[in-house]
């Protein structure tokens, strides 16, 4: 199967190695891989190690990550892409935004941005009040001794798209999100910019990732349009939750790969348990990833939570 315009599917898995993977991350990797492979496509692996303080290059978590993916039988196509090696590329794209007059320096501190008096979005996340934009427009001097972050200006425009699993999703960029950071004050590029540049330059046309990133997508589509990249097809997958409905985190606990691999040295029962939890097979049985390719179908997948299989 091809994408609508007859281009072969190029999927990707893009983990941030800030901790040991858990089964939810592996489920995401597995679905990205299966979706592309079932369509006869390719899948690339990108390590999102932008923040060297949290994710040192080839640090312990990254080594475990590569080993966990290989253990599961997840083979990726082409070279692994490392975001930590791509700063100059991101510089070029920041400059594109700058030339369009869309970038301004923001000196606001974390405390100011998170203050109770700051405007908040419906979901409680603080929304930028454009203090530094107005300061600039008024010609007022910036605060001394602070390095600025770079924010991109957003228009009063609604971006909508149809997610392959979650259906229609829309956000007004100005009202629901406001100007967002594309480079932090310490010079580290923000996820929103890097992800768009990397997916665009890698020719990724299918993005499978956790539902927690659904509300980042309108911002990313906005950047794609500014950079002239086509918008990929999105599938925002439900998060894997424990029996109490809590999402798994990368800290050690339920579903942590260290524990999973101690209990299950062989990946076949783990793959089968995930496949059953996702509705791809009727009940858990040991199987290899490639045996799931012909059984893969987005129609079978739940939209809401996927419960951590018993025994994990
Ligand atoms: N690096 C992100 C994470 O590990 C995922 C980014 C994406 O899939 O767009 O949560």
């Amino acid at each position: 199967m091809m994408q609508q315009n007859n281009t072969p599917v190029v999927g990707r898995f893009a983990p941030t190695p800030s901790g040991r993977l858990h089964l939810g991350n592996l489920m995401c990797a597995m679905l990205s891989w299966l979706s592309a492979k079932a369509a006869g496509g390719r899948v690339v692996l990108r390590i999102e190690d932008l923040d060297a303080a949290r994710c040192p290059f080839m640090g312990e978590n990254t080594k475990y990550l590569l080993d966990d993916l290989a253990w599961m039988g997840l083979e990726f196509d082409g070279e692994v892409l490392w975001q930590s090696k791509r700063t100059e590329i991101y510089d070029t794209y920041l400059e594109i935004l700058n030339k369009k007059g869309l970038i301004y320096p923001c000196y606001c501190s974390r405390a100011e941005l998170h203050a109770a008096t700051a405007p908040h979005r419906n979901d409680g996340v603080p929304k930028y009040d454009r203090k530094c934009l107005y300061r600039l427009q008024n010609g007022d001097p910036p605060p001394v001794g602070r390095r600025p972050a770079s924010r991109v200006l957003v228009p009063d425009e609604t971006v909508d798209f149809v997610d392959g699993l979650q259906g229609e999703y829309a956000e007004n960029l100005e009202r629901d999100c406001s100007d967002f950071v594309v480079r932090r004050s310490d010079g580290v590029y923000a996820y929103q910019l890097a992800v768009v540049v990397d997916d665009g330059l890698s020719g990724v046309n299918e993005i499978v990732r956790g539902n927690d990133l659904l509300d980042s997508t309108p911002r990313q589509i906005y950047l794609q349009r500014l950079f002239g990249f086509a918008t990929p097809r999105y599938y925002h997958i439900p998060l894997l939750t424990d029996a109490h409905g809590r999402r798994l985190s990368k800290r050690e606990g339920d579903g942590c790969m260290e524990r999973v691999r101690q209990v299950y040295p062989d990946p076949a029962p783990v793959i089968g348990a995930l496949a059953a939890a996702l509705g791809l097979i009727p009940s858990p049985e040991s199987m290899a990833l490639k045996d799931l390719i012909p059984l893969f179908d987005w129609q079978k997948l739940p939209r809401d939570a996927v419960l951590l299989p018993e025994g994990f």
Side-chain angles (χ1 to χ4, degrees), residues 211-248:
N211 209 359
D212 53 332
L213 289 168
L214 186 65
D215 72 355
S216 282
T217 309
R219 274 171 277 174
Q220 293 173 14
I221 293 176
Y222 169 59
L223 291 182
Q224 285 157 10
R225 290 176 183 166
L226 290 170
F227 294 148
F229 293 132
T231 291
R233 175 120 181 101
Y234 287 96
Y235 293 93
H236 285 89
I237 62 169
L239 300 178
L240 192 60
T241 64
D242 66 14
H244 307 286
R246 285 186 300 245
R247 64 178 284 197
L248 307 183

Side-chain angles (χ1 to χ4, degrees), residues 25-68:
N25 307 122
L26 262 287
M27 181 177 91
C28 181
M30 181 170 129
L31 288 174
S32 316
W33 191 91
L34 281 175
S35 179
K37 293 293 164 186
R42 307 170 59 238
V43 206
V44 295
L45 175 64
R46 179 170 74 237
I47 306 295
E48 301 213 320
D49 57 349
L50 279 172
D51 186 342
R54 278 173 70 222
C55 320
F57 179 66
M58 260 307 199
E60 191 179 52
N61 288 325
T62 308
K63 287 186 184 146
Y64 278 129
L65 183 151
L66 295 174
D67 191 61
D68 288 338

Side-chain angles (χ1 to χ4, degrees), residues 12-18 21 25 28 46-48 83 191 195 199 207-210 212-213 220 234 236 247 250:
R12 49 74 148 178
F13 179 54
T16 303
S18 56
L21 291 185
N25 307 122
C28 181
R46 179 170 74 237
I47 306 295
E48 301 213 320
Q83 286 193 329
Y191 156 70
V195 79
D199 285 332
I207 294 183
V208 177
R209 61 185 180 192
D212 53 332
L213 289 168
Q220 293 173 14
Y234 287 96
H236 285 89
R247 64 178 284 197
K250 276 185 196 148

Side-chain angles (χ1 to χ4, degrees), residues 78-104:
E79 300 256 301
V80 178
L81 213 101
W82 299 86
Q83 286 193 329
S84 55
K85 307 269 175 244
R86 296 171 63 80
T87 308
E88 282 162 22
I89 299 174
Y90 306 138
D91 288 342
T92 312
Y93 281 86
L94 181 67
E95 193 45 32
I96 293 176
L97 299 177
N98 208 8
K99 286 224 172 85
K100 290 181 191 279
L102 293 171
I103 295 294
Y104 66 91

